[in-house]
PDB file of all heavy atoms in Angstrom:
ATOM      1  N   THR A 135       5.457   6.227  19.855  1.00  0.00           N
ATOM      2  CA  THR A 135       6.201   6.183  21.116  1.00  0.00           C
ATOM      3  C   THR A 135       6.160   4.797  21.721  1.00  0.00           C
ATOM      4  O   THR A 135       7.200   4.257  22.158  1.00  0.00           O
ATOM      5  CB  THR A 135       5.611   7.217  22.107  1.00  0.00           C
ATOM      6  OG1 THR A 135       5.657   8.500  21.507  1.00  0.00           O
ATOM      7  CG2 THR A 135       6.391   7.222  23.404  1.00  0.00           C
ATOM      8  N   ILE A 136       4.998   4.187  21.757  1.00  0.00           N
ATOM      9  CA  ILE A 136       4.868   2.837  22.318  1.00  0.00           C
ATOM     10  C   ILE A 136       5.664   1.838  21.487  1.00  0.00           C
ATOM     11  O   ILE A 136       6.367   0.978  22.028  1.00  0.00           O
ATOM     12  CB  ILE A 136       3.377   2.422  22.388  1.00  0.00           C
ATOM     13  CG1 ILE A 136       2.661   3.272  23.441  1.00  0.00           C
ATOM     14  CG2 ILE A 136       3.229   0.937  22.696  1.00  0.00           C
ATOM     15  CD1 ILE A 136       1.149   3.126  23.419  1.00  0.00           C
ATOM     16  N   LYS A 137       5.570   1.969  20.178  1.00  0.00           N
ATOM     17  CA  LYS A 137       6.288   1.073  19.286  1.00  0.00           C
ATOM     18  C   LYS A 137       7.803   1.219  19.506  1.00  0.00           C
ATOM     19  O   LYS A 137       8.521   0.212  19.567  1.00  0.00           O
ATOM     20  CB  LYS A 137       5.924   1.410  17.839  1.00  0.00           C
ATOM     21  CG  LYS A 137       6.535   0.512  16.811  1.00  0.00           C
ATOM     22  CD  LYS A 137       6.073   0.914  15.424  1.00  0.00           C
ATOM     23  CE  LYS A 137       6.895   0.237  14.373  1.00  0.00           C
ATOM     24  NZ  LYS A 137       6.631   0.713  13.039  1.00  0.00           N
ATOM     25  N   THR A 138       8.289   2.423  19.625  1.00  0.00           N
ATOM     26  CA  THR A 138       9.713   2.656  19.841  1.00  0.00           C
ATOM     27  C   THR A 138      10.146   2.157  21.213  1.00  0.00           C
ATOM     28  O   THR A 138      11.210   1.540  21.348  1.00  0.00           O
ATOM     29  CB  THR A 138      10.017   4.164  19.695  1.00  0.00           C
ATOM     30  OG1 THR A 138       9.567   4.594  18.399  1.00  0.00           O
ATOM     31  CG2 THR A 138      11.510   4.439  19.822  1.00  0.00           C
ATOM     32  N   TRP A 139       9.331   2.398  22.227  1.00  0.00           N
ATOM     33  CA  TRP A 139       9.648   1.925  23.567  1.00  0.00           C
ATOM     34  C   TRP A 139       9.782   0.404  23.602  1.00  0.00           C
ATOM     35  O   TRP A 139      10.699  -0.142  24.207  1.00  0.00           O
ATOM     36  CB  TRP A 139       8.562   2.384  24.559  1.00  0.00           C
ATOM     37  CG  TRP A 139       8.758   1.831  25.923  1.00  0.00           C
ATOM     38  CD1 TRP A 139       9.671   2.208  26.856  1.00  0.00           C
ATOM     39  CD2 TRP A 139       8.017   0.759  26.517  1.00  0.00           C
ATOM     40  NE1 TRP A 139       9.552   1.454  27.989  1.00  0.00           N
ATOM     41  CE2 TRP A 139       8.528   0.551  27.803  1.00  0.00           C
ATOM     42  CE3 TRP A 139       6.956  -0.028  26.064  1.00  0.00           C
ATOM     43  CZ2 TRP A 139       8.026  -0.432  28.642  1.00  0.00           C
ATOM     44  CZ3 TRP A 139       6.464  -1.009  26.912  1.00  0.00           C
ATOM     45  CH2 TRP A 139       6.991  -1.189  28.189  1.00  0.00           C
ATOM     46  N   ALA A 140       8.895  -0.293  22.885  1.00  0.00           N
ATOM     47  CA  ALA A 140       8.932  -1.754  22.848  1.00  0.00           C
ATOM     48  C   ALA A 140      10.190  -2.274  22.156  1.00  0.00           C
ATOM     49  O   ALA A 140      10.635  -3.383  22.423  1.00  0.00           O
ATOM     50  CB  ALA A 140       7.687  -2.296  22.160  1.00  0.00           C
ATOM     51  N   ARG A 141      10.773  -1.475  21.285  1.00  0.00           N
ATOM     52  CA  ARG A 141      11.955  -1.884  20.536  1.00  0.00           C
ATOM     53  C   ARG A 141      13.242  -1.278  21.064  1.00  0.00           C
ATOM     54  O   ARG A 141      14.272  -1.296  20.374  1.00  0.00           O
ATOM     55  CB  ARG A 141      11.791  -1.487  19.064  1.00  0.00           C
ATOM     56  CG  ARG A 141      10.712  -2.218  18.337  1.00  0.00           C
ATOM     57  CD  ARG A 141      11.087  -3.657  18.128  1.00  0.00           C
ATOM     58  NE  ARG A 141      10.389  -4.180  16.974  1.00  0.00           N
ATOM     59  CZ  ARG A 141      10.847  -5.176  16.240  1.00  0.00           C
ATOM     60  NH1 ARG A 141      11.983  -5.731  16.511  1.00  0.00           N
ATOM     61  NH2 ARG A 141      10.147  -5.614  15.232  1.00  0.00           N
ATOM     62  N   THR A 142      13.226  -0.715  22.260  1.00  0.00           N
ATOM     63  CA  THR A 142      14.378   0.006  22.820  1.00  0.00           C
ATOM     64  C   THR A 142      15.675  -0.779  22.713  1.00  0.00           C
ATOM     65  O   THR A 142      16.701  -0.250  22.255  1.00  0.00           O
ATOM     66  CB  THR A 142      14.109   0.404  24.278  1.00  0.00           C
ATOM     67  OG1 THR A 142      12.944   1.209  24.322  1.00  0.00           O
ATOM     68  CG2 THR A 142      15.274   1.174  24.877  1.00  0.00           C
ATOM     69  N   ASN A 143      15.675  -2.033  23.120  1.00  0.00           N
ATOM     70  CA  ASN A 143      16.911  -2.832  23.087  1.00  0.00           C
ATOM     71  C   ASN A 143      17.378  -3.071  21.664  1.00  0.00           C
ATOM     72  O   ASN A 143      18.585  -3.067  21.394  1.00  0.00           O
ATOM     73  CB  ASN A 143      16.705  -4.165  23.812  1.00  0.00           C
ATOM     74  CG  ASN A 143      16.584  -3.962  25.304  1.00  0.00           C
ATOM     75  OD1 ASN A 143      17.067  -2.980  25.848  1.00  0.00           O
ATOM     76  ND2 ASN A 143      15.917  -4.891  25.968  1.00  0.00           N
ATOM     77  N   ASP A 144      16.443  -3.298  20.743  1.00  0.00           N
ATOM     78  CA  ASP A 144      16.808  -3.558  19.342  1.00  0.00           C
ATOM     79  C   ASP A 144      17.403  -2.322  18.669  1.00  0.00           C
ATOM     80  O   ASP A 144      18.184  -2.435  17.729  1.00  0.00           O
ATOM     81  CB  ASP A 144      15.597  -4.025  18.544  1.00  0.00           C
ATOM     82  CG  ASP A 144      15.043  -5.338  19.047  1.00  0.00           C
ATOM     83  OD1 ASP A 144      15.838  -6.163  19.538  1.00  0.00           O
ATOM     84  OD2 ASP A 144      13.814  -5.541  18.931  1.00  0.00           O
ATOM     85  N   LEU A 145      17.002  -1.135  19.131  1.00  0.00           N
ATOM     86  CA  LEU A 145      17.435   0.106  18.484  1.00  0.00           C
ATOM     87  C   LEU A 145      18.900   0.435  18.712  1.00  0.00           C
ATOM     88  O   LEU A 145      19.437   1.364  18.123  1.00  0.00           O
ATOM     89  CB  LEU A 145      16.554   1.269  18.939  1.00  0.00           C
ATOM     90  CG  LEU A 145      15.102   1.195  18.464  1.00  0.00           C
ATOM     91  CD1 LEU A 145      14.259   2.291  19.121  1.00  0.00           C
ATOM     92  CD2 LEU A 145      15.028   1.297  16.959  1.00  0.00           C
ATOM     93  N   LYS A 146      19.569  -0.342  19.562  1.00  0.00           N
ATOM     94  CA  LYS A 146      20.994  -0.113  19.807  1.00  0.00           C
ATOM     95  C   LYS A 146      21.836  -0.525  18.595  1.00  0.00           C
ATOM     96  O   LYS A 146      22.912   0.004  18.377  1.00  0.00           O
ATOM     97  CB  LYS A 146      21.443  -0.874  21.051  1.00  0.00           C
ATOM     98  CG  LYS A 146      20.826  -0.318  22.315  1.00  0.00           C
ATOM     99  CD  LYS A 146      21.161  -1.134  23.523  1.00  0.00           C
ATOM    100  CE  LYS A 146      20.438  -0.544  24.735  1.00  0.00           C
ATOM    101  NZ  LYS A 146      20.499  -1.405  25.895  1.00  0.00           N
ATOM    102  N   GLU A 147      21.321  -1.450  17.799  1.00  0.00           N
ATOM    103  CA  GLU A 147      22.016  -1.895  16.593  1.00  0.00           C
ATOM    104  C   GLU A 147      21.733  -0.905  15.452  1.00  0.00           C
ATOM    105  O   GLU A 147      20.571  -0.626  15.138  1.00  0.00           O
ATOM    106  CB  GLU A 147      21.502  -3.293  16.216  1.00  0.00           C
ATOM    107  CG  GLU A 147      22.196  -3.861  15.009  1.00  0.00           C
ATOM    108  CD  GLU A 147      21.520  -5.151  14.543  1.00  0.00           C
ATOM    109  OE1 GLU A 147      21.014  -5.904  15.377  1.00  0.00           O
ATOM    110  OE2 GLU A 147      21.500  -5.348  13.326  1.00  0.00           O
TER     111      GLU A 147
END
Side-chain angles (χ1 to χ4, degrees):
T135 303
I136 292 169
K137 184 179 167 188
T138 304
W139 175 75
R141 293 290 205 154
T142 301
N143 289 336
D144 296 329
L145 292 172
K146 292 175 183 169
E147 182 189 327

